[in-house]
PDB file of all heavy atoms in Angstrom:
ATOM      1  N   VAL V  96      26.687  -1.239  10.190  1.00 91.00           N
ATOM      2  CA  VAL V  96      25.590  -1.754  11.021  1.00 91.00           C
ATOM      3  C   VAL V  96      25.428  -3.256  11.066  1.00 91.00           C
ATOM      4  O   VAL V  96      25.267  -3.788  12.195  1.00 91.00           O
ATOM      5  CB  VAL V  96      24.310  -0.945  10.640  1.00 91.00           C
ATOM      6  CG1 VAL V  96      23.278  -1.227  11.752  1.00 91.00           C
ATOM      7  CG2 VAL V  96      24.567   0.491  10.418  1.00 91.00           C
ATOM      8  N   LEU V  97      25.508  -3.850   9.872  1.00 94.00           N
ATOM      9  CA  LEU V  97      25.167  -5.255   9.907  1.00 94.00           C
ATOM     10  C   LEU V  97      26.239  -6.276  10.076  1.00 94.00           C
ATOM     11  O   LEU V  97      25.912  -7.348  10.250  1.00 94.00           O
ATOM     12  CB  LEU V  97      24.419  -5.627   8.577  1.00 94.00           C
ATOM     13  CG  LEU V  97      23.116  -4.779   8.238  1.00 94.00           C
ATOM     14  CD1 LEU V  97      22.540  -5.243   6.860  1.00 94.00           C
ATOM     15  CD2 LEU V  97      22.132  -4.973   9.259  1.00 94.00           C
ATOM     16  N   LYS V  98      27.444  -5.779  10.054  1.00 89.00           N
ATOM     17  CA  LYS V  98      28.648  -6.673  10.001  1.00 89.00           C
ATOM     18  C   LYS V  98      28.695  -7.562  11.317  1.00 89.00           C
ATOM     19  O   LYS V  98      29.106  -8.654  11.227  1.00 89.00           O
ATOM     20  CB  LYS V  98      29.934  -5.954   9.846  1.00 89.00           C
ATOM     21  CG  LYS V  98      30.344  -4.961  10.848  1.00 89.00           C
ATOM     22  CD  LYS V  98      31.765  -4.395  10.524  1.00 89.00           C
ATOM     23  CE  LYS V  98      32.553  -3.677  11.610  1.00 89.00           C
ATOM     24  NZ  LYS V  98      31.637  -2.878  12.545  1.00 89.00           N
ATOM     25  N   ASP V  99      28.198  -7.065  12.438  1.00 86.00           N
ATOM     26  CA  ASP V  99      28.206  -7.931  13.632  1.00 86.00           C
ATOM     27  C   ASP V  99      26.913  -8.569  13.911  1.00 86.00           C
ATOM     28  O   ASP V  99      26.706  -9.196  14.981  1.00 86.00           O
ATOM     29  CB  ASP V  99      28.565  -6.988  14.852  1.00 86.00           C
ATOM     30  CG  ASP V  99      29.839  -6.235  14.690  1.00 86.00           C
ATOM     31  OD1 ASP V  99      30.751  -6.947  14.092  1.00 86.00           O
ATOM     32  OD2 ASP V  99      30.044  -5.137  15.077  1.00 86.00           O
ATOM     33  N   CYS V 100      25.873  -8.467  12.939  1.00 88.00           N
ATOM     34  CA  CYS V 100      24.583  -9.058  13.272  1.00 88.00           C
ATOM     35  C   CYS V 100      24.590 -10.492  12.604  1.00 88.00           C
ATOM     36  O   CYS V 100      25.034 -10.710  11.518  1.00 88.00           O
ATOM     37  CB  CYS V 100      23.428  -8.296  12.588  1.00 88.00           C
ATOM     38  SG  CYS V 100      23.330  -6.566  13.036  1.00 88.00           S
ATOM     39  N   GLU V 101      24.020 -11.298  13.325  1.00 90.00           N
ATOM     40  CA  GLU V 101      23.888 -12.724  12.877  1.00 90.00           C
ATOM     41  C   GLU V 101      22.526 -12.747  12.122  1.00 90.00           C
ATOM     42  O   GLU V 101      21.429 -12.385  12.667  1.00 90.00           O
ATOM     43  CB  GLU V 101      23.850 -13.737  14.112  1.00 90.00           C
ATOM     44  CG  GLU V 101      24.288 -15.126  13.658  1.00 90.00           C
ATOM     45  CD  GLU V 101      24.200 -16.044  14.852  1.00 90.00           C
ATOM     46  OE1 GLU V 101      24.905 -15.678  15.895  1.00 90.00           O
ATOM     47  OE2 GLU V 101      23.645 -17.011  14.817  1.00 90.00           O
ATOM     48  N   ASP V 102      22.517 -13.271  10.912  1.00 93.00           N
ATOM     49  CA  ASP V 102      21.302 -13.356  10.189  1.00 93.00           C
ATOM     50  C   ASP V 102      20.444 -12.109  10.180  1.00 93.00           C
ATOM     51  O   ASP V 102      19.298 -12.058  10.616  1.00 93.00           O
ATOM     52  CB  ASP V 102      20.431 -14.516  10.547  1.00 93.00           C
ATOM     53  CG  ASP V 102      19.355 -14.775   9.503  1.00 93.00           C
ATOM     54  OD1 ASP V 102      19.432 -14.329   8.423  1.00 93.00           O
ATOM     55  OD2 ASP V 102      18.335 -15.505   9.958  1.00 93.00           O
ATOM     56  N   PRO V 103      21.085 -10.959   9.760  1.00 96.00           N
ATOM     57  CA  PRO V 103      20.264  -9.623   9.869  1.00 96.00           C
ATOM     58  C   PRO V 103      19.007  -9.471   9.012  1.00 96.00           C
ATOM     59  O   PRO V 103      18.997 -10.211   8.068  1.00 96.00           O
ATOM     60  CB  PRO V 103      21.267  -8.577   9.455  1.00 96.00           C
ATOM     61  CG  PRO V 103      22.290  -9.376   8.690  1.00 96.00           C
ATOM     62  CD  PRO V 103      22.341 -10.671   9.130  1.00 96.00           C
ATOM     63  N   PHE V 104      18.145  -8.683   9.571  1.00 98.00           N
ATOM     64  CA  PHE V 104      16.827  -8.535   8.832  1.00 98.00           C
ATOM     65  C   PHE V 104      16.614  -6.939   8.587  1.00 98.00           C
ATOM     66  O   PHE V 104      16.787  -6.118   9.463  1.00 98.00           O
ATOM     67  CB  PHE V 104      15.710  -9.035   9.673  1.00 98.00           C
ATOM     68  CG  PHE V 104      14.347  -8.794   9.174  1.00 98.00           C
ATOM     69  CD1 PHE V 104      14.040  -8.806   7.868  1.00 98.00           C
ATOM     70  CD2 PHE V 104      13.287  -8.389  10.071  1.00 98.00           C
ATOM     71  CE1 PHE V 104      12.738  -8.566   7.320  1.00 98.00           C
ATOM     72  CE2 PHE V 104      11.977  -8.185   9.525  1.00 98.00           C
ATOM     73  CZ  PHE V 104      11.650  -8.302   8.127  1.00 98.00           C
ATOM     74  N   VAL V 105      16.451  -6.648   7.277  1.00 98.00           N
ATOM     75  CA  VAL V 105      16.527  -5.242   6.904  1.00 98.00           C
ATOM     76  C   VAL V 105      15.000  -4.937   6.351  1.00 98.00           C
ATOM     77  O   VAL V 105      14.677  -5.702   5.438  1.00 98.00           O
ATOM     78  CB  VAL V 105      17.506  -4.993   5.797  1.00 98.00           C
ATOM     79  CG1 VAL V 105      17.390  -3.493   5.273  1.00 98.00           C
ATOM     80  CG2 VAL V 105      18.932  -5.293   6.241  1.00 98.00           C
ATOM     81  N   VAL V 106      14.407  -3.864   6.728  1.00 98.00           N
ATOM     82  CA  VAL V 106      13.212  -3.524   6.153  1.00 98.00           C
ATOM     83  C   VAL V 106      13.264  -2.107   5.593  1.00 98.00           C
ATOM     84  O   VAL V 106      13.923  -1.289   6.150  1.00 98.00           O
ATOM     85  CB  VAL V 106      12.075  -3.396   7.398  1.00 98.00           C
ATOM     86  CG1 VAL V 106      10.772  -2.927   6.734  1.00 98.00           C
ATOM     87  CG2 VAL V 106      11.904  -4.839   8.027  1.00 98.00           C
ATOM     88  N   GLU V 107      12.735  -1.939   4.372  1.00 98.00           N
ATOM     89  CA  GLU V 107      12.744  -0.546   3.824  1.00 98.00           C
ATOM     90  C   GLU V 107      11.279  -0.079   3.564  1.00 98.00           C
ATOM     91  O   GLU V 107      10.366  -0.732   3.152  1.00 98.00           O
ATOM     92  CB  GLU V 107      13.459  -0.545   2.445  1.00 98.00           C
ATOM     93  CG  GLU V 107      13.566   0.746   2.086  1.00 98.00           C
ATOM     94  CD  GLU V 107      14.232   0.973   0.558  1.00 98.00           C
ATOM     95  OE1 GLU V 107      14.557   0.037  -0.016  1.00 98.00           O
ATOM     96  OE2 GLU V 107      14.231   2.192   0.155  1.00 98.00           O
ATOM     97  N   LEU V 108      11.116   1.126   4.130  1.00 98.00           N
ATOM     98  CA  LEU V 108       9.596   1.705   3.914  1.00 98.00           C
ATOM     99  C   LEU V 108       9.736   2.552   2.506  1.00 98.00           C
ATOM    100  O   LEU V 108      10.601   3.404   2.290  1.00 98.00           O
ATOM    101  CB  LEU V 108       9.353   2.712   5.053  1.00 98.00           C
ATOM    102  CG  LEU V 108       9.467   2.162   6.479  1.00 98.00           C
ATOM    103  CD1 LEU V 108       8.929   3.170   7.402  1.00 98.00           C
ATOM    104  CD2 LEU V 108       8.700   0.814   6.576  1.00 98.00           C
ATOM    105  N   GLY V 109       8.779   2.199   1.706  1.00 95.00           N
ATOM    106  CA  GLY V 109       8.842   2.887   0.383  1.00 95.00           C
ATOM    107  C   GLY V 109       9.964   2.480  -0.477  1.00 95.00           C
ATOM    108  O   GLY V 109      10.772   3.154  -1.025  1.00 95.00           O
ATOM    109  N   SER V 110       9.954   1.065  -0.707  1.00 96.00           N
ATOM    110  CA  SER V 110      11.174   0.509  -1.370  1.00 96.00           C
ATOM    111  C   SER V 110      11.055   0.694  -2.880  1.00 96.00           C
ATOM    112  O   SER V 110      12.038   0.136  -3.640  1.00 96.00           O
ATOM    113  CB  SER V 110      11.117  -1.084  -0.879  1.00 96.00           C
ATOM    114  OG  SER V 110       9.898  -1.524  -1.038  1.00 96.00           O
TER     115      SER V 110
END
Side-chain angles (χ1 to χ4, degrees):
V96 188
L97 299 184
K98 66 176 190 327
D99 301 324
C100 299
E101 205 180 308
D102 190 20
F104 176 38
V105 178
V106 175
E107 187 184 0
L108 307 187
S110 46

